Amino acid sequence: MKKNVAIAMGGFSSEYRISINSGNVVYKNLDRSKYNPYRVHILQKEWFVIGENDTPYPINRSNFTVTIDGQLITFDCVFNTIHGTPGENGLLQAYLELLDIPQTSCDFYQSALTFNKRDLISVLKPFGIKTAENYFVDKGDEVDPDEIIAKVGLPCFVKANKAGSSFGITKVKSRDQIIPATKFAFKEDNEIIIESFLDGTEVSVGVITHNDEILALPVTEIVSENEFFDYEAKYLGKSQEITPARISEEQTKKVQEIAKLIYRKLKMKGFSRSEFIFHNNEPHFIEMNTNPGLSEASILPQQAQAAGISLKELFGSAIETALKA
């Protein structure tokens, strides 16, 4: 029998439009001989399935079912394509676990941990993972530019601690830019992280569970036309994403092994995409995305294609892995 798959998209954050793009790509590429896909929009005020002629059918949140034309639909699996809250910070995962519905992303604890950049860095450091120098500020704290410069230097990056797609991020080059940058980041989150500038080649490494094997995908080199890999660079064509990356075979193997180590140590599931910068020839970990973009232009699908994995195979394998868990 074909499985009913809810493709969860949208979310409550600035990333909801990007998530809907990802969800629609999954919807388009799922194997209809194996799955009945349903587009499920999970938004701040309403949850609904998009039916024929774009008719919305409300989701019953008490059991995650929907009634369409008098027929009750239950879901065998949820394909989680929500970037940001609630799909990438553990809330949706915990809800679905309570309902005993499999989903394609990592479990709720790993999701919450990886979404919090400063907590993730703290967990990874004992495993010898190199990172930038970091300085943390909570909303309401006094911001001392001189103390920040003493810790991380200039230039530096001011980021929202729990946000994706480069929302709330500023490259700061002078002391007088620090306060405005923190105010900008606090629009996205109540915690911010300030990182030292790492000069070097930026790369992205996808790690997935595919056919029961943890697999590091070909590495992508990121060359931004802007000063860093910001929203414009990611989504508006202001960057080159070169797969495979123009780095040595030794560097490729090293960064792939570190990405796989992080995946294993965190007991990850599903897709992940970790960002690194080769600084002084050593890969320094920046962050991990556990629900990376899945549009045709996104990095992880590009890497899968380079590895000879079609979108149909990639998405189908994610569902089958979730159903076995």
Side-chain angles (χ1 to χ4, degrees), residues 10-13 42 47 80 82-93 111:
F12 309 160
S13 76
I42 294 181
W47 297 13
N80 183 0
I82 295 177
H83 315 312
T85 184
E88 203 168 7
N89 63 353
L91 297 181
L92 183 64
Q93 289 89 333
S111 186

Side-chain angles (χ1 to χ4, degrees), residues 25 234-235 241 293-302:
V25 170
K234 284 184 179 179
Y235 301 110
E241 294 156 10
L294 297 176
S295 72
E296 287 94 339
S298 297
I299 292 172
L300 191 112
Q302 290 180 36

Side-chain angles (χ1 to χ4, degrees), residues 90-266:
L91 297 181
L92 183 64
Q93 289 89 333
Y95 163 78
L96 293 171
E97 185 165 322
L98 286 172
L99 295 176
D100 198 27
I101 300 174
Q103 56 89 34
T104 56
S105 188
C106 57
D107 291 336
F108 71 90
Y109 170 73
Q110 285 79 4
S111 186
L113 174 64
T114 52
F115 196 66
N116 188 310
K117 296 180 182 72
R118 68 188 192 185
D119 287 0
L120 177 58
I121 287 167
S122 298
V123 167
L124 292 179
K125 277 190 173 179
F127 298 111
I129 307 298
K130 292 181 171 62
T131 68
E133 288 291 332
N134 298 289
Y135 186 98
F136 308 124
V137 185
D138 291 331
K139 201 163 195 174
D141 288 353
E142 181 181 349
V143 179
D144 185 335
D146 295 322
E147 188 175 301
I148 291 168
I149 293 169
K151 179 71 185 293
V152 303
L154 288 173
C156 64
F157 285 98
V158 178
K159 302 178 179 181
N161 188 44
K162 302 187 294 293
S165 296
S166 298
F167 288 111
I169 181 170
T170 304
K171 184 177 181 181
V172 169
K173 300 178 181 177
S174 62
R175 183 185 184 280
D176 61 0
Q177 292 177 329
I178 290 176
I179 299 295
T182 60
K183 290 179 178 178
F184 179 61
F186 279 134
K187 290 179 181 179
E188 292 292 331
D189 188 26
N190 60 3
E191 299 171 349
I192 63 175
I193 179 171
I194 303 174
E195 297 177 338
S196 62
F197 173 68
L198 297 176
D199 187 23
T201 302
E202 182 172 355
V203 298
S204 183
V205 188
V207 179
I208 63 175
T209 300
H210 185 66
N211 296 333
D212 299 323
E213 178 186 358
I214 296 175
L215 178 66
L217 296 172
V219 178
T220 298
E221 178 184 352
I222 296 164
V223 182
S224 176
E225 293 178 19
N226 296 346
E227 285 211 77
F228 61 95
F229 197 44
D230 60 4
Y231 182 89
E232 280 192 338
K234 284 184 179 179
Y235 301 110
L236 302 180
K238 298 280 188 171
S239 69
Q240 294 181 64
E241 294 156 10
I242 302 165
T243 309
R246 299 170 300 182
I247 56 178
S248 70
E249 187 176 335
E250 181 183 352
Q251 288 175 314
T252 297
K253 185 175 180 182
K254 186 169 190 176
V255 76
Q256 285 178 322
E257 287 303 315
I258 292 171
K260 285 174 69 174
L261 172 68
I262 292 170
Y263 191 99
R264 289 195 302 268
K265 290 298 183 183
L266 296 180

